[in-house]
Amino acid sequence: MPQNSRTTLLIAEDDYLVREGARSVLAAHPRLEVLGAASDPEGILELLEVHDPDVVMLDIRMPPTFTTEGIELAHQIRAERRGTGVVVLSQHADPEYALELLRHGSDGVAYLLKERLGDADRLVQAIEEVRAGGSILDPRIVEGLLEAQRRRTASKLAGLTPRELEVLAMMASGRGNLAIARELSITDRSVEKHTNSIFRKLGLSEELELNRRVAAVLFYLQRSRD
């Protein structure tokens, strides 16, 4: 970012007090210039026909349905206006919202909780980061994503039989199929059948670029760390 260059910004927020409060705080910051604010997606799209902001800050829930209008609007803005950063604000630390927001990539995107509106410096940092093409996720949202991943991993491993878990544990220790067969006193073909069943249950298709054996071990080690 050039020295002394101010970041231009549009704000979309349906709550009047939140919208005007954010506008007032951010407009007072010397490195920001607020070009306008709107209460709904239609209003922000009208402003975008007039202005070319560096960043658009959006509420995740806006009229008419108050569900995921902010995420849909973020996708539209990023598709039609490459180079425009998007900061999405939410009252909810929902990892599914974050995953949907980042579905088309994370460059130039931030997802923060609305409580960060009380921390002007942090908010300005996020705005400037996405202008530069970076990405920021609220720490609480990151925690939610990690917990969701742990639950998915545990759920998949729960579908393995005791014998399959034994085979997977030996894979994690570095043993090949022959060594596993000797250790468990079973045939090589039985080990191959167990490993193929493990791959299938963990959703590790043959098309995966990552070696399926390594991926399966990573699943196992993730559970072991928990």
Side-chain angles (χ1 to χ4, degrees):
M1 187 186 304
Q3 188 175 9
N4 299 323
S5 174
R6 292 202 294 174
T7 297
T8 55
L9 177 72
L10 289 177
I11 300 171
E13 165 62 59
D14 66 284
D15 187 295
Y16 175 81
L17 292 178
V18 174
R19 182 175 68 251
E20 293 308 311
R23 188 211 294 255
S24 177
V25 169
L26 295 174
H29 198 281
R31 297 199 305 272
L32 297 182
E33 180 183 357
V34 179
L35 301 175
S39 61
D40 54 32
E42 182 179 340
I44 207 72
L45 291 174
E46 290 176 357
L47 286 173
L48 283 168
E49 293 179 359
V50 178
H51 301 288
D52 184 24
D54 298 310
V55 177
V56 179
M57 190 170 76
L58 308 170
D59 183 12
I60 203 167
R61 294 183 174 182
M62 290 187 290
T65 68
F66 294 95
T67 54
T68 58
E69 280 82 2
I71 291 177
E72 294 162 10
L73 184 55
H75 289 325
Q76 181 178 348
I77 291 171
R78 297 184 72 210
E80 296 176 357
R81 308 176 68 90
R82 296 192 178 277
T84 300
V86 176
V87 176
V88 175
L89 298 175
S90 174
Q91 291 180 333
H92 311 279
D94 190 330
E96 296 304 321
Y97 284 160
L99 290 173
E100 176 60 23
L101 176 64
L102 302 177
R103 177 160 51 91
H104 300 303
S106 61
D107 293 349
V109 177
Y111 183 16
L112 301 176
L113 296 181
K114 279 191 176 181
E115 62 194 51
R116 306 302 175 192
L117 287 171
D119 185 347
D121 290 338
R122 177 69 180 274
L123 190 55
V124 171
Q125 177 189 3
I127 291 168
E128 292 179 332
E129 183 71 21
V130 299
R131 178 190 178 184
S135 178
I136 292 181
L137 288 179
D138 194 284
R140 283 180 54 198
I141 295 167
V142 173
E143 290 174 4
L145 286 169
L146 291 174
E147 178 58 31
Q149 178 59 43
R150 283 193 289 267
R151 287 197 299 268
R152 283 192 291 268
T153 297
S155 176
K156 289 184 176 181
L157 289 175
L160 302 185
T161 66
R163 177 64 86 185
E164 288 166 351
L165 284 171
E166 283 184 301
V167 171
L168 183 53
M170 291 184 182
M171 287 169 57
S173 70
R175 292 178 175 86
N177 282 5
L178 286 175
I180 294 173
R182 285 194 298 268
E183 184 77 20
L184 296 178
S185 299
I186 58 178
T187 65
D188 297 349
R189 183 164 179 76
S190 292
V191 174
E192 185 178 347
K193 288 177 63 178
H194 286 312
T195 55
N196 286 335
S197 178
I198 290 168
F199 296 153
R200 185 182 67 255
K201 290 179 179 179
L202 296 183
L204 303 175
S205 69
E206 294 182 2
E207 292 75 22
L208 280 176
E209 292 183 13
L210 182 64
N211 182 285
R212 290 194 297 169
R213 200 176 188 91
V214 173
V217 167
L218 291 175
F219 268 94
Y220 180 79
L221 294 178
Q222 175 67 55
R223 187 195 70 162
S224 299
R225 283 197 299 270
D226 294 342

